[in-house]
Amino acid sequence: MVSPIELKAQHRKIWRVGFLGSGRLDLALPVFRRRMIEQGYVEGSTYVLDVREARGQFDLLPQLMKEIMNGGPDVIVAEATPAIAVAQHATSTIPIVMAPSTDPVGSGFVESFAHPGGNITGFANMFGDLAAKSLEMLRLVVPSVKRIAVLMSANPTHQKMLELARGGADRLGLTLFPFVAPAPADLERAFSGMKETNCEAVYVLADPFRPAIAKLAAEARLPSIYQYSLFVDIGGLMSYGPNILSIFDRAAVYVDKIIKGARPADLPVEQPERFELVLNLKAAKALGLSISPSAISLADKVLE
């Protein structure tokens, strides 16, 4: 005979969380899963995590989203603007957590930060606001730089970010040269073009994590600045921006709130509270750069 407690356990709701990645999720998922555990969830018992990742192949996102929808998700986490846009197209009723979006209002994902107004909420990374400041930081570390490549992808936010960067470049007397690598397979061609154009550094616009970029920048001997520090951890010269992995921790908090009954329309879109300058002195040495003590003193983190 089944006891009342066992009967209750058999009928307990197992929540389904879909996680759609524009890029690779191998660094984001451990952070997300750890926070879910801290909130009392047991994967496979109290919730199921259905993960799909495009790994930079944005054209795969609609099919991956369809697979998630076929599983009947209760809530969807979408990583970066390309995945958020596909998730928004797929459903207007299932809650979607952006993790993160560069321009959630301008992209049409939410009505405002304070009052999202629909089935989407989550996190903004403020990368567009940092475009000009990132160039200032690059010039601080590499004072002689004049010609800067801007590495873009098929990410729909990149054109606006390039325009914002151009405004900062004009004020600093810098010349920008955009190079578009729509997919990971296009990166080598983009870096060859940078060398042919005599670019002296590369500014990598925020995008799902593509580890090959740091390696290609080092091989091309181009000082590189990124908008989050994961690239610096694997050999990139420097980064300026928010702590991206902390956003996936917060995404799990929002998933918990939604599971417990909160409506996305009532959950404000969060923005980063601080930005970090991270420098890699080993990468600088390999490039023959000597970073000034004043620049090092401004860094939040220095990798020796």
Side-chain angles (χ1 to χ4, degrees), residues 46 56 89 91 97 108 133 143 169 172 186 261 266 276:
T46 61
H89 182 74
T91 178
V97 177
K133 187 67 174 180
L172 294 167
D186 301 309
D266 300 327
E276 302 175 333

Side-chain angles (χ1 to χ4, degrees), residues 128-137 139 146 148 160-176 203:
D129 293 356
L130 299 179
K133 187 67 174 180
S134 296
L135 293 176
E136 289 182 25
M137 292 296 183
R139 188 105 129 222
K146 295 290 185 183
I148 301 174
K160 181 177 180 180
M161 290 175 66
L162 175 62
E163 293 169 6
L164 293 169
R166 283 195 193 281
D170 289 344
R171 291 192 297 273
L172 294 167
L174 304 173
T175 304
L176 301 184
Y203 173 32

Side-chain angles (χ1 to χ4, degrees), residues 273-284:
E273 296 181 355
R274 63 186 301 266
F275 305 107
E276 302 175 333
L277 174 63
V278 181
L279 301 176
N280 186 330
L281 297 187
K282 184 177 180 180

Side-chain angles (χ1 to χ4, degrees), residues 144-251:
S144 63
V145 70
K146 295 290 185 183
R147 300 167 62 87
I148 301 174
V150 180
L151 182 61
M152 307 163 64
S153 75
N155 192 318
T157 66
H158 280 183
Q159 190 58 46
K160 181 177 180 180
M161 290 175 66
L162 175 62
E163 293 169 6
L164 293 169
R166 283 195 193 281
D170 289 344
R171 291 192 297 273
L172 294 167
L174 304 173
T175 304
L176 301 184
F177 298 85
F179 291 87
V180 181
D186 301 309
L187 287 170
E188 288 191 18
R189 174 186 51 79
F191 274 92
S192 294
M194 295 175 198
K195 294 299 290 182
E196 292 170 3
T197 315
N198 296 318
C199 291
E200 301 163 309
V202 55
Y203 173 32
V204 180
L205 296 189
D207 219 16
F209 188 44
R210 296 193 281 183
I213 294 175
K215 179 175 181 291
L216 288 169
E219 291 174 349
R221 297 194 60 77
L222 286 171
S224 53
I225 182 167
Y226 306 89
Q227 294 193 288
Y228 51 90
S229 63
L230 299 181
F231 286 102
V232 184
D233 294 337
I234 61 169
L237 175 64
M238 62 185 296
S239 65
Y240 181 68
N243 183 327
I244 283 294
L245 291 183
S246 68
I247 289 175
F248 297 103
D249 178 274
R250 292 295 302 160

